[in-house]
Amino acid sequence: MSNPWGMWLRGNDTEPFVLSRKQGWDRFVNAPRRALLPVLTRAEMGRLDAESLADYTEARMVWNANLPIVRTQQLTSAFAIIDQVMASARRDGDRARGSVVIDAKPGLGKTTIATRYGKDFHRLQYRRYGPTTIDGHQRLPVAFIPLKASITLKALNQKILNFYGHPAGTAATRFELADLAIDCVRSCETRLIVIDDVHFIDFRHRDGLTVSNHLKSLANEMAVTFIFVGVGLAEKKFFDEGMIGEEAAYAQTSRRATRCPVVPFTLGTDDGFRGWVDLLRVLESHIALADAHPGMLTDHAQLLHRRTQGYIASLTSLLDRACARAIGTGGETIDADVIGGVEMDNAAQTASPIG
Ligand SMILES: Nc1ncnc2c1ncn2[C@@H]1O[C@H](COP(=O)(O)OP(=O)(O)OP(=O)(O)O)[C@@H](O)[C@H]1O
Ligand SMILES: [Mg+2]
């Protein structure tokens, strides 16, 4: 007999999505929703044999570690800003478009915002224009390019070509690579390019400046809207003309870039408190524990905020661990003790008040 929990044990995919390749991006965009995991009562769990119970436990761990992406206030307002900038994406190819800079501290959901926006945009373009371009190429409305530390211009163009699966030889010069990359973008009718982790560009180094200038000139030259994502980009003066000399082209780019900040949840205002509680309510309704109940998280809104400082990444990792503890100890619920006992990530831990 096949394993009744097999579907959930596998998770949504047999291997992680590699968003930086077109195949991985495509699977991310078209991934079906997870089937709902049935939550057993304590009595039902008691009737399972040891192996089935172990499999059910593992299935729940996978489920609880993959809580849904929630339409938070931050996500909704970021989407509204990107939508506004994308309004200019309808301009004819020869006219300049804007770009978006999602600039915020680590762990606030920046990459999630950019990839989810890209996913919706990709699906819309497919529905409207179909899977192939007029010239018969595969349509790839969105390209996702995450940067690595100390990236060079050549490596950047290779990354773009890798996304498209272009077999560019390493022998090609950086100028040839740049031309090939532009060709890919044009022939696949890419309309949105997300450049993630832009803070990896070392602006104090000549290579870094070349990469940053190249990105800005691509944003100027191509019929594409760019979303640049990174940490502390304003402080690094990513878009300040001063950094790159007085060249008019860059001053123009700066003027065309729209900053999209992402802030932690705060409890100081009614609106902020409501946003946090709404998020907790959605998450608690998805947690697979036998004694989960409405209010399990929302009743601890203050404590959860204190432990995470309202950072969504800290919250989701706290919940992963809290769920694992609740299952491991047989407590089957999340309460103040469980929340208080979870080890936090380093940043949240050092920011938490002691006692
Ligand atoms: N809207 C959301 N709903 C639910 N969970 C979210 C949401 N946004 C982010 N998360 C969770 O927070 C985690 C961190 O999000 P993400 O990677 O997007 O943040 P980031 O700001 O890009 O972080 P970094 O600065 O480390 O790159 C994700 O793994 C996800 O679990
Ligand atoms: Mg990120």
Side-chain angles (χ1 to χ4, degrees), residues 103-238:
D103 182 9
K105 298 219 170 88
L108 286 172
K110 301 180 298 298
T111 301
T112 304
I113 288 168
T115 50
R116 294 284 145 166
Y117 191 94
K119 176 176 183 162
D120 292 353
F121 182 76
H122 178 117
R123 293 175 76 105
L124 177 72
Q125 293 277 305
Y126 255 60
R127 184 181 65 67
R128 198 166 280 157
Y129 302 110
T132 40
T133 67
I134 292 175
D135 294 335
H137 295 283
Q138 179 184 11
R139 182 182 304 286
L140 292 168
V142 179
F144 179 76
I145 316 289
L147 303 188
K148 291 252 164 61
S150 311
I151 186 142
T152 61
L153 183 56
K154 189 164 185 179
L156 169 71
N157 284 315
Q158 271 162 343
K159 267 191 157 294
I160 298 177
L161 290 170
N162 281 344
F163 180 87
Y164 289 91
H166 191 289
T170 39
T173 70
R174 57 187 200 165
F175 300 108
E176 287 162 353
L177 286 175
D179 284 347
L180 288 172
I182 291 174
D183 271 357
C184 285
V185 172
R186 292 221 169 105
S187 52
C188 298
E189 297 191 359
T190 302
R191 293 285 173 259
L192 180 68
I193 297 184
V194 178
I195 308 279
D196 199 6
D197 293 331
V198 171
H199 49 265
F200 277 139
I201 300 175
D202 181 357
F203 297 95
R204 291 158 310 173
H205 196 278
R206 209 163 51 95
D207 277 352
L209 286 181
T210 317
V211 169
S212 136
N213 290 351
H214 182 67
L215 283 172
K216 290 165 194 173
S217 66
L218 285 181
N220 273 348
E221 277 169 24
M222 296 198 292
V224 172
T225 301
F226 277 73
I227 300 182
F228 296 106
V229 183
V231 177
L233 300 181
E235 293 78 23
K236 291 188 164 160
K237 303 195 185 308
F238 178 55

Side-chain angles (χ1 to χ4, degrees), residues 281-348:
R281 190 175 297 114
V282 177
L283 294 176
E284 77 186 5
S285 70
H286 280 82
I287 289 176
L289 293 173
D291 293 345
H293 55 90
M296 178 174 73
L297 298 183
T298 52
D299 289 352
H300 303 291
Q302 304 267 5
L303 173 60
L304 284 165
H305 190 272
R306 213 164 43 244
R307 294 231 65 198
T308 61
Q309 298 83 47
Y311 278 63
I312 197 155
S314 298
L315 177 69
T316 51
S317 48
L318 181 149
L319 293 179
D320 284 355
R321 294 169 193 191
C323 290
R325 253 174 97 91
I327 293 173
T329 60
E332 291 292 335
T333 192
I334 296 176
D335 56 18
D337 281 348
V338 176
I339 296 168
V342 165
E343 290 295 328
M344 293 301 298
D345 58 81
N346 186 47

